[in-house]
Amino acid sequence: MRESDVTELSQRIIGNVERVIVGKRAVTELVLVALLCEGHVLVEDVPGVGKTTLARAIARSIGGQFRRIQFTPDLLPSDISGIVFFNQKTGDFEMRPGPVFGNILLADEINRATPRTQAALLEAMEERTVTIEGETLPLPRPFLVLATENPVELEGTFPLPEAQLDRFLLRIELGYPEPEDELMMLGRFQSSNPLAELTAVTSPEELLEASEACRAIYVDDELRQYIIDIARATRGHETVRLGVSPRGTLALFRASQALAAVRGRGYVVPDDIKLLSSAVLAHRIMLSPETRLRGRSAAQIIQSIVSEVNVPVEQV
């Protein structure tokens, strides 16, 4: 598959999702980037802005299986991965696969589950496998975890540890729609739910081909160094206690390739890296206590660092 085919496929998916999600093209584009990179997305936003609808729309657009887990304090790891039980009718042990065996997994309010249950997702997110009763089973591809957190209600929650945050390719926010977009939404949902009428515009197999094609997107040596310079700048910055890991460097590299393909280019430009830097890197750094007391966010720090790093300039 060529990069032009990836672009055409991307526009098909985005256009289909926009039949349901109004005014969130940039967010849909980022989720598509995660799909093409076979990464995962953490969505931090208030209830009711369309997180579940977005996940369902993406799943239907790619012809994939949608699964949803409502995370609660009493959720067990086996509720995610599945169990092996004795079937009295057949007289044999059988496996009942959990909701993790799907293409799009919505982990709703993931920070409400205990750390033990949160950790059950680690193997699935990183290795694309699940171990049940000593047997390791592969997960279907593509496999995207779209986890949500409510930043308003923090009582009774368990913050995600850094090791698990680092497994997410992107952290994004949907935000409230613009007035004109909200008005359009009322018109679309007046007589029926557009999500119920949404059909697949591609297949998981075609999406995997597009994912492989993204790895061939050209990244100049100076842009590779630019990505490394940004990551290294976080490790020695005065406001940062713990900087971006090498996994974060690779994530920014892969995401920039996918974004270039989505936007119809066979090569990465500095603006791709700048646009993705906050979404890819902000959740991978730990700020110093003094910085948090001053009210500065990780996204603001990343933007400040990116602005300080020299941008490669094409030699004429």
Side-chain angles (χ1 to χ4, degrees), residues 104-173:
I104 307 292
L105 173 63
L106 177 66
D108 207 7
E109 295 191 284
I110 189 174
N111 56 332
R112 291 200 175 278
T114 61
R116 181 187 173 204
T117 303
Q118 291 174 5
L121 273 180
L122 283 178
E123 180 189 6
M125 291 172 64
E126 187 67 18
E127 305 296 335
R128 266 62 176 185
T129 59
V130 168
T131 302
I132 303 175
E133 297 292 334
E135 183 179 0
T136 300
L137 305 170
L139 295 177
R141 295 179 62 197
F143 174 66
L144 169 74
V145 173
L146 200 154
T148 70
E149 285 188 331
N150 181 356
V152 179
E153 298 179 1
L154 299 179
E155 185 177 352
T157 62
F158 302 86
L160 294 177
E162 284 69 28
Q164 187 156 344
L165 283 173
D166 207 30
R167 260 66 174 185
F168 288 98
L169 179 74
L170 305 170
R171 182 172 66 179
I172 62 176
E173 298 177 1

Side-chain angles (χ1 to χ4, degrees), residues 74-83 114 116-121 130:
D74 60 348
L75 192 74
L76 299 175
S78 58
D79 294 328
I80 297 174
S81 59
I83 60 171
T114 61
R116 181 187 173 204
T117 303
Q118 291 174 5
L121 273 180
V130 168

Side-chain angles (χ1 to χ4, degrees), residues 52-92:
T52 302
T53 303
L54 175 62
R56 288 185 180 273
I58 290 287
R60 292 202 177 188
S61 296
I62 68 171
Q65 290 183 322
F66 173 80
R67 297 288 186 267
R68 182 179 184 273
I69 305 174
Q70 182 63 51
F71 278 71
T72 55
D74 60 348
L75 192 74
L76 299 175
S78 58
D79 294 328
I80 297 174
S81 59
I83 60 171
V84 173
F85 68 100
F86 182 74
N87 190 328
Q88 292 183 344
K89 290 183 178 180
T90 61
D92 200 0

Side-chain angles (χ1 to χ4, degrees), residues 205-241:
E205 293 76 20
E206 189 178 17
L207 189 65
L208 288 175
E209 289 182 21
S211 179
E212 290 296 325
C214 287
R215 293 179 177 267
I217 297 297
Y218 176 72
V219 185
D220 189 80
D221 288 342
E222 291 192 6
L223 289 181
R224 294 169 187 255
Q225 188 61 50
Y226 180 50
I227 293 172
I228 293 173
D229 290 344
I230 292 174
R232 290 180 62 85
T234 67
R235 298 166 191 166
H237 202 270
E238 58 183 5
T239 63
V240 179
R241 180 182 173 189

Side-chain angles (χ1 to χ4, degrees), residues 21-38:
I21 304 293
V22 183
K24 298 298 178 184
R25 187 178 184 87
V27 173
T28 305
E29 197 175 60
L30 288 176
V31 176
L32 184 55
V33 164
L35 264 174
L36 291 171
C37 294
E38 296 195 73

Side-chain angles (χ1 to χ4, degrees), residues 248-259:
T249 307
L250 182 59
L252 185 55
F253 177 80
R254 295 292 188 206
S256 63
Q257 286 181 303
L259 182 62

